[in-house]
Amino acid sequence: MKRQLNPMIPFLIAVISSGCFFILADYIFTSDLTNFQQSVFNFISRLRNPHLNTLMIILTKTANPFPISVLTLILTLILLFKHQKKEALFSFLLILLTAGTNTLLKHLYLRQRPSVGSLIHETGFSFPSGHSMISLALALLLSYLSFHFLSRKLIAYLLSAFLLAYTFLIGFSRVYINVHYVGDVLGGWLASIAVFSILLCLFNLFSHTKKDHYDEHQKETI
């Protein structure tokens, strides 16, 4: 990456987000949230109408595995074409690890999806939300790259705001179409932040280590 962050910053974010994830998971699986979940569903169901239903279904499908995979492949190829090998590897690994972590967590917690009132059919387990995880991972990745490669930071801020708004709407759509509970979405966001921060920390540490070795080699040469 062009600018090097203090590795402690993503490390601390990773620790905090991971801790919050496990606290949330513990609360979800040790507390009876039936009344709360039903209240949320009742509130959102009152917002439903045919036009909004169609919009939410279309929106949520933009974070399906196929479009995300295609976008990741395109982004990776563009970075490779621009000779940004480290950024290309980071992008590919982030999406791959996010998807893998989501699968692992789903099979760890085995939470069933809402049983009635869903607008589309989904299979698999519910916690954490894969769409929420992958959409936030992509938003964080594109925001991070934009701040590194765009000279006009205003555009980077506007792009980041748009991406975060998109991520929020993806999370909302998952609850709206009733294939996830609110806790699934929150857990997905926390897990995504943790994966991104851990990977960023590792890449920054690798960059610092590589730079130190290079500096030592230069001194020995002199």
Side-chain angles (χ1 to χ4, degrees):
M1 306 296 176
K2 286 191 172 181
R3 295 180 183 177
Q4 299 300 320
L5 287 174
N6 183 336
M8 285 302 298
I9 295 176
F11 174 76
L12 290 174
I13 294 174
V15 170
I16 293 171
S17 56
S18 298
C20 290
F21 172 85
F22 288 112
I23 291 172
L24 174 66
D26 181 70
Y27 179 72
I28 288 174
F29 288 93
T30 58
S31 304
D32 184 5
L33 303 178
T34 303
N35 292 334
F36 171 73
Q37 291 170 168
Q38 188 62 44
S39 298
V40 172
F41 176 70
N42 290 340
F43 171 76
I44 291 180
S45 63
R46 288 196 291 268
L47 302 176
R48 285 182 172 181
N49 62 71
H51 297 295
L52 191 55
N53 291 354
T54 302
L55 178 62
M56 286 293 118
I57 292 173
I58 293 173
L59 176 64
T60 204
K61 287 183 178 180
T62 63
N64 281 356
F66 180 73
I68 292 295
S69 299
V70 171
L71 183 57
T72 303
L73 179 60
I74 292 173
L75 177 61
T76 303
L77 291 175
I78 290 174
L79 290 169
L80 287 174
F81 180 77
K82 295 290 186 179
H83 304 291
Q84 303 295 335
K85 295 181 180 179
K86 191 185 300 182
E87 286 79 2
L89 179 61
F90 181 86
S91 302
F92 179 79
L93 286 179
L94 175 64
I95 302 304
L96 183 65
L97 289 175
T98 300
T101 301
N102 178 257
T103 300
L104 178 65
L105 291 173
K106 281 180 181 291
H107 285 85
L108 175 65
Y109 288 104
L110 303 176
R111 191 185 198 194
Q112 299 299 319
R113 293 181 183 272
S115 56
V116 294
S118 301
L119 296 181
I120 63 174
H121 175 69
E122 289 279 19
T123 59
F125 297 110
S126 186
F127 182 84
S129 166
H131 283 63
S132 300
M133 276 190 73
I134 207 71
S135 62
L136 182 55
L138 191 61
L140 291 172
L141 172 63
L142 293 176
S143 297
Y144 184 71
L145 293 176
S146 68
F147 276 102
H148 278 73
F149 296 119
L150 294 179
S151 57
R152 298 183 63 181
K153 298 308 175 188
L154 177 60
I155 297 178
Y157 280 112
L158 292 175
L159 177 61
S160 298
F162 170 79
L163 290 168
L164 291 176
Y166 166 75
T167 299
F168 173 80
L169 288 174
I170 289 294
F172 177 80
S173 73
R174 303 306 286 173
V175 180
Y176 180 92
I177 63 179
N178 202 37
V179 292
H180 280 293
Y181 302 108
V182 175
D184 301 334
V185 173
L186 295 177
W189 288 340
L190 289 170
S192 184
I193 293 171
V195 172
F196 177 84
S197 301
I198 291 170
L199 189 61
L200 182 59
C201 181
L202 292 175
F203 265 70
N204 283 329
L205 284 173
F206 174 79
S207 297
H208 281 292
T209 303
K210 189 174 181 180
K211 182 178 182 302
D212 291 340
H213 283 307
Y214 176 79
D215 291 341
E216 291 177 4
H217 178 71
Q218 288 295 99
K219 290 178 182 179
E220 291 175 0
T221 303
I222 296 173

